[in-house]
Amino acid sequence: MRPSRNRSRTAFRTGVGLLAATVLVPMASLTANARPDATPDAATAATAAAPGTAAKPAPAKPFVQGTQTVAAYDYDNAIHERVQVDVPGVDTDANGITDQITVDIVRPGEAAQAGIDVPVIIQASPYYASDPKTYFDANGTRQIFQSWLDNYFVPRGYAFAYVDMPGTFRSTGCSDVGADFEVRGTKAVIDWLNNRVPAHTPAGAPVKADWSTGKAGMIGTSWNGTIANSVASTGVKGLETIVPIAAISSWYDYTRSNGVPYYDEYMGFLHDYVSNDLSPRCVALTGEIEQDSDTRTGSYSRWWDPRNYRLDAKKVKASVFVVHGLDDENVKTRQFGEWWDELEKRGVPRKIFLHQGVHLDGFSFRDAYVDQLHPWFDHWLQGLQNNVMKAPQATIQREDGSFTTEARWPAEGAKNTKLALSKPAGGGTGGLSIAAPTSDPISFTGTDKESVDSVVLDPTAPRTDRAVFVSNDLAQPVRLSGTGKVEVRVKVNKVAAGIKARLVDYGTATRYTSVSNIANTSKCWGDGNALDTGCFPETKINTAVSNTAVVVRTLADIGHYKSPDEKVSLQSGKWYDLTFELNADDVVFAAGHRLGLVLTVEPDNPSVPFTGATITLDPVKSSLTLPLTGATASLASPESPQARIPATQLSQPEPEKDPIKLMEQFVEASR
């Protein structure tokens, strides 16, 4: 059900109906990798020096010791400044003035005095309008960044920049929820750092980034990480690395699941939430974006192409450090899974940090995360040869909360394994095994409401609202690592219906539940001052014993069985073959546990009335395919468990489904 890979984004597609914005031919980009006036390193300077002329040595960098940066500069002496970057030839709000992007910068003052150029870590966001006025001085220059990143990295020889995304807070132009207005405007900041576009102070004086090496990295959580993915997909020179945390790689797959919209009028809601509403043109875009997103059918169209960064993975030149929670039901794991797959095909240098949490910044895990991020930036932005790319590619938090490292991800040896669905005559729970299936059709019914996770409990109890398939006890551990898929042959007694697959770990274990602050504790990350201390509470990982864990949840619209581009009305009594990918995951099913698949009937679209439906499944023509490693021979038995399986305690609460609450998560995770 993934959109076609042969589509490509056009150069600066509007992505929103017939826009009245003025979009002119962009300035030609320079072909050099560094800024034309960038200070050369010592080796380059020596090569370029005239015969008989001694090369001017590069300034010493006190923040470099061996192969790592260390805190060498005083945060009290940091330079705080605000600049307005032009987006040449672009006037998305149609006010006759070139769009301008506001950038707040903090950089080491001692480096500026010594003539040492520094790289820049950028966090772009649509949310900075919610920051208190106390974060800014009387001139509107930001003094507080509400992040540990500036406190930690500025003393280590980095600059840190907050970017107001186009159409938000103090940047002009219009937002367009992930499409080219956002991308082009944010990309301009990288271009300014490399002297390709102009900028000025709030007073109008021209300003150059003559303190920058031209090398930039982007980092952020949620929408802030999404913009990092999107700018990287342009291939802009000077963007050396990105750290997308809980980030979107396809807005269609963020708002839809295989043709099922998660919420009614969500794209319009997102646009309205972040937009400045200072321009009539931008206000009008809210309705246009919602209309063009086509919630009524949930189908994919070319309108989504500019918001599907996987289509431009071939353009990515930056290295990528992916961070994501395996229980993130806001930005689901498919977002990193398919992005990772596309980057792997193209040999993009990459690393991954997977935790058991929900929609969280990696900093929630403090040292486990910082110990990976610091050398990553040192290598890609400072050019230090610290062997970070020879270190294990993956850091993974296991089910009990402990962290492990592995050579690569998905796991070595993970092999797509097809599991058959079967059910014995006379009822009972179906089997899940490698053996060939033999079974009659199974029917299950849904109401006008979505099902909830408790539907997976007590799997051997007879219920009409689900179809359950469970493996026998695993003799040895089996691990899922990567992206699986479900294939079903079904018929429906209504013109429309959705189906949901839940992959379940049945078995008692101590499992991660959350990460939380430790009361009355504080640790300072780097340097700070009275306004911006850089100190945060320490955190702890919480666990609890449970006997059931839903590890993957994935929806699909049966009416999109042909293609994500087309929704059809279903005919009663007709069999349909539907294949859909599951959300990516990494989970170990322990010895003595059972692997389960629970299928339910779901509404196909929140914008269209749904009164319930009955789905009839043909197990013989249906299957579950998972990338597995370990003792998969444990799955060879075709027997179906009939004795009661203790499954009464879910490891996690029901995922949040209120779009307002999800937006709050978006904002809070982005801080």
Side-chain angles (χ1 to χ4, degrees), residues 148-369:
W148 69 279
L149 291 164
D150 56 315
N151 304 94
Y152 188 86
F153 284 105
V154 170
R156 288 172 166 79
Y158 293 82
F160 183 62
Y162 267 10
V163 175
D164 296 341
M165 283 165 52
T168 72
F169 199 21
R170 297 164 299 163
S171 288
T172 63
C174 295
S175 168
D176 57 359
V177 191
D180 290 299
F181 291 178
E182 279 186 12
V183 179
R184 182 72 172 277
T186 309
K187 171 183 171 291
V189 178
I190 311 292
D191 288 329
W192 170 66
L193 292 171
N194 288 275
N195 276 350
R196 295 191 290 263
V197 302
H200 55 84
T201 66
V207 59
K208 290 189 175 183
D210 52 9
W211 46 265
S212 167
T213 62
K215 290 185 176 182
M218 295 186 70
I219 188 171
T221 304
S222 203
W223 205 327
N224 303 4
T226 301
I227 192 66
N229 280 340
S230 64
V231 173
S233 75
T234 70
V236 60
K237 293 180 180 179
L239 181 60
E240 303 297 323
T241 191
I242 62 170
V243 185
I245 307 167
I248 296 166
S249 61
S250 164
W251 284 87
Y252 176 81
D253 290 328
Y254 171 65
T255 60
R256 317 281 193 263
S257 179
N258 301 291
V260 180
Y262 290 117
Y263 315 103
D264 191 19
E265 299 185 352
Y266 195 47
M267 289 295 284
F269 166 76
L270 292 171
H271 183 265
D272 181 65
Y273 191 95
V274 302
S275 291
N276 281 337
D277 294 338
L278 297 177
S279 161
R281 178 67 203 120
C282 299
V283 172
L285 277 179
T286 295
E288 293 177 25
I289 285 173
E290 179 51 44
Q291 180 177 354
D292 292 343
S293 69
D294 190 17
T295 304
R296 297 288 295 182
T297 70
S299 295
Y300 189 96
S301 68
R302 290 193 178 275
W303 182 85
W304 292 98
D305 282 358
R307 300 168 172 86
N308 184 355
Y309 315 130
R310 303 169 198 158
L311 299 178
D312 282 337
K314 62 182 178 295
K315 297 180 183 177
V316 175
K317 301 297 188 295
S319 62
V320 182
F321 183 8
V322 169
V323 181
H324 215 104
L326 293 173
D327 201 39
D328 191 341
E329 285 292 323
N330 189 327
V331 177
K332 295 175 174 57
T333 55
R334 180 177 185 179
Q335 296 295 329
F336 86 79
E338 293 201 24
W339 183 232
W340 183 266
D341 291 345
E342 293 300 319
L343 298 175
E344 182 179 29
K345 291 176 187 175
R346 291 155 179 87
V348 173
R350 64 203 183 282
K351 192 176 182 68
I352 195 166
F353 183 98
L354 298 176
H355 59 83
Q356 292 290 326
V358 290
H359 195 61
L360 299 173
D361 183 0
F363 186 60
S364 298
F365 299 94
R366 300 299 194 262
D367 290 288
Y369 168 67

Side-chain angles (χ1 to χ4, degrees), residues 501-557:
R502 288 178 173 88
L503 193 62
V504 187
D505 177 14
Y506 289 112
T508 300
T510 299
R511 294 182 171 95
Y512 168 100
T513 58
S514 64
V515 59
S516 60
N517 292 339
I518 302 175
N520 302 316
T521 64
S522 180
K523 179 177 179 179
C524 298
W525 294 83
D527 197 10
N529 54 37
L531 292 176
D532 189 350
T533 65
C535 302
F536 298 85
E538 296 191 73
T539 63
K540 63 177 180 178
I541 293 169
N542 304 305
T543 61
V545 175
S546 58
N547 55 27
T548 310
V550 178
V551 296
V552 177
R553 307 167 185 84
T554 307
L555 266 168
D557 175 19

Side-chain angles (χ1 to χ4, degrees), residues 65-94:
Q65 289 186 5
T67 59
Q68 68 176 355
T69 58
V70 297
Y73 295 138
D74 190 339
Y75 193 87
D76 280 331
N77 298 329
I79 297 170
H80 293 250
E81 58 189 327
R82 169 184 164 192
V83 301
Q84 310 290 137
V85 176
D86 288 347
V87 190
V90 177
D91 176 20
T92 56
D93 52 11

